[in-house]
Amino acid sequence: MNQTNPEFFSQLHIDIARNSTDDFNLLHDSRKWQNINGNPFNGPISLGFQLESLIEGKIAEYRRQHDEEKLIAEQGLNFSNYQFTFANAIKPGQTIEVDIKESLFKHEPSASLSNRIIVKADGKLALTGYKKETAEPLFLGQPNLSRVGELKIQPDRCFLNNGFFLKRKFMMTSNAKNFLCASLRDQTQYFDELQDKVIFPEMFPCALLSSALLEKALKWLHDFERNPMVYTSHKISIDRRCLSQLRSNDAVHILIKPAADCAAHDFGDLNATPLDYECYGLVNNNNALLFRALISLVPLESILKAMA
């Protein structure tokens, strides 16, 4: 499915997305992007999660048009899985094309409904990947979070004994509405005070990961101007049953730690190689697992060397 009307993110859309998720990455800042050492983009760029939210909306529309919501419910496909690789940045004003390939439903080895996704900006490849509906999460299996304890009594922005960094965020309807608008989506499909409708979109709580990662980097005294990091891929699984229970002001406890093969270094090392982070979003008093994500970053300097 190709979109018919050209769409683009303005700097205002980017600013709203940043503000609604507390993302303070200099790469998105309309002024501070100039402070980044060797910045090849010559201006601010859009947020990765902002683009993924746009894709989420496009796929939801595709599901409705093809009457696939009934199939998802009948098969118990309660997990939304996103796997994306970022090929290029999207700048303000660039025309965005989202191409959703025809749905593929499989029974074996387990039921799944998937679509390949290709996104272009001004005709150049920006992102590739897929969205897949499954009965079980595709990424990070069943993590052992038995030692995290009662997270609500832990201080915000602290390191737990099991190596996780904890960032506490709150599900605010105002922020979610703004994030939807920043992603070129219709907020009335999710929120309506007169009808007491509160439906948080899938990508909004996941988008809070950027803020959590940045605050973790601050704890390591990371130099965002000398050594900026950029996303290379996202692998995200979201439990829609858990998501449907969220209400305004609910806390989301975000846990982050370097993946096993990245334990030798972390933010703060100017010579850092690519980093993979295990990330989890826990909610409610029973630490229900809302989302799990494997987030991959690389120093901008590595990309510059590859381009040379």
Side-chain angles (χ1 to χ4, degrees), residues 132-160:
K132 184 176 291 188
E133 325 289 351
T134 59
E136 298 295 334
L138 291 184
F139 309 116
L140 296 175
Q142 294 299 326
N144 182 8
L145 302 176
S146 59
R147 296 176 53 202
V148 300
E150 195 171 359
L151 294 174
K152 66 180 181 181
I153 65 173
Q154 298 290 342
D156 186 26
R157 293 176 291 184
C158 74
F159 287 90
L160 305 177

Side-chain angles (χ1 to χ4, degrees), residues 37-170:
N37 182 43
N39 191 338
F41 303 121
N42 296 316
I45 61 175
S46 63
L47 286 67
F49 285 104
Q50 178 183 22
L51 176 59
E52 289 167 331
S53 176
L54 173 63
I55 295 169
E56 176 195 342
K58 296 291 185 186
I59 295 177
E61 180 182 353
Y62 183 99
R63 296 271 183 262
R64 288 190 293 269
Q65 290 178 352
H66 293 79
D67 197 26
E68 294 176 343
E69 294 169 326
K70 182 179 178 181
L71 173 64
I72 291 171
E74 289 176 345
Q75 296 293 325
L77 306 180
N78 297 314
F79 284 87
S80 282
N81 305 276
Y82 298 84
Q83 180 170 343
F84 294 130
T85 298
F86 296 91
N88 212 336
I90 295 180
K91 302 175 184 178
Q94 288 189 314
T95 300
I96 302 172
E97 303 172 61
V98 179
D99 184 12
I100 302 175
K101 302 300 183 182
E102 184 177 351
S103 297
L104 179 62
F105 178 71
K106 291 183 177 180
H107 285 284
E108 301 294 339
S110 58
S112 67
L113 180 68
S114 63
N115 300 81
R116 295 289 301 175
I117 312 293
I118 298 174
V119 178
K120 293 182 179 180
D122 282 353
K124 296 182 179 179
L125 183 64
L127 175 147
T128 61
Y130 66 76
K131 166 85 184 297
K132 184 176 291 188
E133 325 289 351
T134 59
E136 298 295 334
L138 291 184
F139 309 116
L140 296 175
Q142 294 299 326
N144 182 8
L145 302 176
S146 59
R147 296 176 53 202
V148 300
E150 195 171 359
L151 294 174
K152 66 180 181 181
I153 65 173
Q154 298 290 342
D156 186 26
R157 293 176 291 184
C158 74
F159 287 90
L160 305 177
N161 292 333
N162 57 4
F164 280 107
F165 174 76
L166 168 65
K167 175 60 189 173
R168 185 176 298 108
K169 303 293 290 184
F170 293 90

Side-chain angles (χ1 to χ4, degrees), residues 120-308:
K120 293 182 179 180
D122 282 353
K124 296 182 179 179
L125 183 64
L127 175 147
T128 61
Y130 66 76
K131 166 85 184 297
K132 184 176 291 188
E133 325 289 351
T134 59
E136 298 295 334
L138 291 184
F139 309 116
L140 296 175
Q142 294 299 326
N144 182 8
L145 302 176
S146 59
R147 296 176 53 202
V148 300
E150 195 171 359
L151 294 174
K152 66 180 181 181
I153 65 173
Q154 298 290 342
D156 186 26
R157 293 176 291 184
C158 74
F159 287 90
L160 305 177
N161 292 333
N162 57 4
F164 280 107
F165 174 76
L166 168 65
K167 175 60 189 173
R168 185 176 298 108
K169 303 293 290 184
F170 293 90
M171 300 296 288
M172 305 295 293
T173 55
S174 57
N175 286 337
K177 290 176 184 178
N178 283 330
F179 185 66
L180 286 167
C181 291
S183 308
L184 310 178
R185 299 171 65 183
D186 181 3
Q187 69 182 51
T188 63
Q189 293 183 0
Y190 297 86
F191 301 99
D192 189 325
E193 285 76 10
L194 296 180
Q195 298 181 15
D196 194 28
K197 180 167 69 173
V198 176
I199 306 171
F200 283 101
E202 295 174 0
M203 201 51 66
F204 175 65
C206 302
L208 303 176
L209 275 171
S210 285
S211 170
L213 284 163
L214 289 165
E215 294 211 34
K216 183 179 186 294
L218 280 179
K219 285 283 186 177
W220 283 86
L221 303 179
H222 185 75
D223 191 327
F224 293 100
E225 295 184 3
R226 292 181 60 197
N227 188 30
M229 307 287 288
V230 295
Y231 291 130
T232 55
S233 70
H234 288 175
K235 298 178 181 179
I236 303 170
S237 293
I238 305 158
D239 188 336
R240 283 196 298 269
R241 296 164 301 181
C242 188
L243 181 70
S244 67
Q245 298 174 12
L246 290 183
R247 292 296 177 264
S248 185
N249 295 321
D250 282 355
V252 179
H253 305 285
I254 299 176
L255 301 179
I256 298 172
K257 72 174 182 180
D261 57 348
C262 293
H265 63 81
D266 205 337
F267 276 120
D269 179 0
L270 291 178
N271 297 312
T273 53
L275 296 171
D276 292 334
Y277 281 98
E278 292 183 24
C279 308
Y280 304 95
L282 282 66
V283 296
N284 304 325
N285 292 330
N286 62 347
N287 287 342
L289 192 48
L290 171 63
F291 68 79
R292 64 200 81 201
L294 190 62
I295 305 296
S296 299
L297 305 98
V298 67
L300 181 60
E301 183 179 355
S302 297
I303 296 178
L304 295 176
K305 290 179 178 178
M307 294 169 56

